[in-house]
Amino acid sequence: MNQIPKNGKVFDIGCGNGSPYFMKKNLPGIYYVGLDVGDYNQSVDPTTYADELIYVKSCDFRTAIEKYEDEFDTVISTHNLEHCDDYKGVLLAMINALKKGGLLYLPFPCEESVSFPSRKGTLNFYDDSTHQNVIPYLPTLQTIKESGANIVFKRKRFRPFIPFVIGLFYEPWGSLTKTLCSVMKGTWALYGFETVIIVKKK
């Protein structure tokens, strides 16, 4: 959040789960454009907070993003790429939508998550039936490099220390029984569920 310009233009690819409200509440000066397949899991009306909302089918994500070129200070794609039909094309379109010096934030389930325990809330990749593609780490890095952009941060399995420690405490409860089996606070950090890449456009 600290690296997003306070008056910048933000493109949120996969903007469900209250993202328009969260972004505008914390950064009220930004111009916020959201793209998704529909109005997913919003506790408040997203049109109240988003400056623009675009709803298209997942197969049309690349085309929708390609309409923008060198326009955004920040592109956010949080757990979106694995849902896309043409994830490589979507990735390149997101990089192209950035202004010079703009940043792309790209977290997605790590390749190893296909063998993680199954949990309510998704820990194993296949817990989410809308996941289409396991995103390969090294080929994705190569695609970014070939686009001419810089990779400024990369973790194949992101394990921030404090959430990791919290996960150690909560994990026994999360795996206690089949009926209670769920992702608890810190579970993702404990397992290193997320691959996280931050890209800067030259």
Side-chain angles (χ1 to χ4, degrees):
M1 290 288 289
N2 292 335
Q3 292 180 297
I4 299 176
K6 293 182 179 179
N7 295 304
K9 193 168 185 180
V10 176
F11 200 6
D12 193 355
I13 314 296
C15 60
N17 296 309
S19 190
Y21 168 74
F22 174 80
M23 291 296 297
K24 291 290 276 191
K25 180 182 178 182
N26 288 281
L27 294 167
I30 63 171
Y31 188 90
Y32 178 94
V33 181
L35 171 69
D36 214 327
V37 295
D39 189 6
Y40 176 74
N41 195 26
Q42 305 283 359
S43 58
V44 295
D45 182 0
T47 61
T48 305
Y49 296 93
D51 297 286
E52 295 181 44
L53 282 174
I54 306 162
Y55 294 135
V56 297
K57 295 179 180 178
S58 61
C59 59
D60 295 324
F61 264 39
R62 177 179 181 173
T63 301
I65 300 166
E66 284 178 337
K67 293 178 181 178
Y68 300 91
E69 185 174 352
D70 302 321
E71 192 163 334
F72 293 94
D73 300 285
T74 306
V75 175
I76 301 169
S77 177
T78 300
H79 289 265
N80 162 72
L81 212 57
E82 66 272 17
H83 297 272
C84 296
D85 297 34
D86 178 13
Y87 69 86
K88 184 175 179 178
V90 168
L91 172 59
L92 291 172
M94 290 191 295
I95 294 171
N96 194 50
L98 288 167
K99 295 178 182 178
K100 182 179 179 180
L103 294 176
L104 165 63
Y105 296 88
L106 190 65
F108 52 85
C110 68
E111 293 172 276
E112 291 81 2
S113 65
V114 297
S115 60
F116 288 175
S118 180
R119 296 286 172 83
K120 181 180 178 180
T122 306
L123 182 58
N124 183 287
F125 180 87
Y126 297 107
D127 289 337
D128 188 334
S129 61
T130 65
H131 284 174
Q132 296 193 49
N133 300 287
V134 178
I135 309 301
Y137 180 68
L138 292 177
T140 298
L141 295 180
Q142 186 61 33
T143 296
I144 294 167
K145 291 175 183 176
E146 289 174 357
S147 77
N150 288 328
I151 298 167
V152 297
F153 180 88
K154 59 181 180 179
R155 293 290 186 276
K156 188 177 184 184
R157 294 175 66 179
F158 186 50
R159 285 171 159 152
F161 178 73
I162 293 176
F164 178 88
V165 172
I166 292 172
L168 285 173
F169 176 78
Y170 279 109
E171 171 61 13
W173 298 99
S175 59
L176 186 60
T177 69
K178 290 183 179 180
T179 55
L180 293 177
C181 204
S182 63
V183 170
M184 305 289 285
K185 188 174 183 179
T187 299
W188 279 11
L190 179 65
Y191 279 87
F193 175 74
E194 289 184 300
T195 290
V196 178
I197 303 171
I198 302 176
V199 180
K200 186 174 184 177
K201 188 172 182 179
K202 293 181 182 178

